[in-house]
Amino acid sequence: MAEATVRRIAPAEGKLGVLCVGLGAVATTFIAGVENIRRGAARPIGSLTQMGTIRLGKRTEGRAPLIRDFVPLASLTDLVFGAWDPVPDDAYTAAVKAGVLDRHEHVEPIAAFLKGIKPMPAAFDQQYVKRLEGKNVKSAKTKRELAEALRQDIRDFKGRNGCSRLVMVWCASTEIFISPGPAHWTLDAFERGMDGNDPSIAPSMLYAWAALMEGVPFANGAPNLTCDFPALEQLARDKGVGIGGKDFKTGQTMIKTVLSPMFKARMLGVAGWYSTNILGNRDGEVLDDPESFKTKEESKLGVLEYILQPQLYPELYGEMYHKVRINYYPPRGDNKEGWDNIDIFGWMGYPMQIKVDFLCRDSILAAPLVLDLALFFDLAQRAGLSGIQEWLSFYFKSPQVAPGLYPEHDLFIQQTKLKNTLRYLMGEEPITHLGIEYYQND
């Protein structure tokens, strides 16, 4: 190992505070899961940081340590949890209402712990999430005042819990669709917009601004615009803080980022891809509003276009019809069903079909992503990586990238990017999978 190339990484000493925006199904499943794992009552299945390995060097070397043994990640025992939510329920009540986890096996044994996590009043405006009503909310004359109140919450939480570091992860509902406008181009314009209560500045943007101003990395788990615009990208660089998103890659889109690279790799055409979802949790209720659905739709629709690249392969994908539907169906609860009908064609244009019915548990898939993002964003911060963390695109439906770049959606390319970044940080050679050295005789 070339020690001289190891990037300097501050040690993961002290407590790491994980601040969740939203204390609903995803956040409570994440928090309760971590506590059950810490007590030996569950395993961290689905978490790359906890269960994944990373190959180092040549295949003949046989080096494949666990990622958590390879890079200096925070220990699960050092995590402390906080949250904001417009609903005043503590984590225990929220977890029971969400109904994701078995109440007797995984909630009641840690009831006292969960009851101790009470949400701070949220910066919430029903104009941006029309299907939710907020009772546990902050009041202020301007959006700047709300954002400053969030900054104070961050400082108070850090001091109260004796944390040495913090990360923030958006686990809340999808806001209405917002396109970047004049208030988003420069930091001065953005801050003037907060002072003037500009309607193009949504609550999620206030959380992101507050986090960056306090030196806290911010990961966006929803398709909201939030920090995907020049003003906050510049602020992240200026403050030396990491940002990334958008939208946790969990069910149907995860399937798309696996299947569509296969079609392109084998030069199989796609005539149409119809996707529909039914779910009954709070997220489903929010997405029943057309304006929130448009935000989610934009996130889900872009995946195929970027992976299949119809501009390069017009005969195969140039006339593909792609439709996405999300339907609120209360009886299903958090157990979402994602159904895909894919019309493909092969040799000489002959048609074929693939049908996928994914009966998934949305929050069960999302919870380990929250854990990994919290640990990796903290690692990035200690390693001095600031601004957009594209190497964590693996976790997002709509990855945030530097201006002028198109996002990479292929799950396996994203995984290679992530692992090569970890190798880079630790002074190991990146792996290209070329392998020509095994077959050359000279």
Side-chain angles (χ1 to χ4, degrees), residues 259-289:
L259 289 179
S260 53
M262 176 188 72
F263 299 143
K264 189 172 77 170
R266 292 292 298 268
M267 290 289 103
L268 295 172
V270 180
W273 198 313
Y274 180 85
S275 301
T276 190
N277 300 262
I278 57 173
L279 70 162
N281 57 13
R282 189 195 296 184
D283 196 34
E285 185 176 7
V286 168
L287 293 173
D288 209 33
D289 171 60

Side-chain angles (χ1 to χ4, degrees), residues 16 29 36 54 67 81 96-97 108 112 152 190 225 236 263 279 284 328 367 369 392 407-408 411 414 431 434:
L16 173 63
T29 303
N36 273 281
I54 182 167
I67 287 173
F81 306 105
V96 170
K97 287 183 178 179
E108 292 299 341
Q152 188 62 51
F190 182 80
L225 187 61
F263 299 143
L279 70 162
Y328 179 49
L369 306 191
L392 295 174
E408 182 56 71
L411 185 74
Q414 291 174 335
I431 289 180
L434 176 62

Side-chain angles (χ1 to χ4, degrees), residues 30 44 46-52 67 73 169 366-379 391-392 394-395 418:
F30 156 63
S47 168
L48 187 65
T49 61
Q50 303 306 300
M51 302 195 77
I67 287 173
L73 298 175
V169 184
L369 306 191
V370 180
L371 173 61
D372 284 359
L373 286 167
L375 297 182
F376 278 143
F377 266 86
D378 174 58
L379 173 69
W391 66 283
L392 295 174
F394 179 76
Y395 295 102
L418 188 156

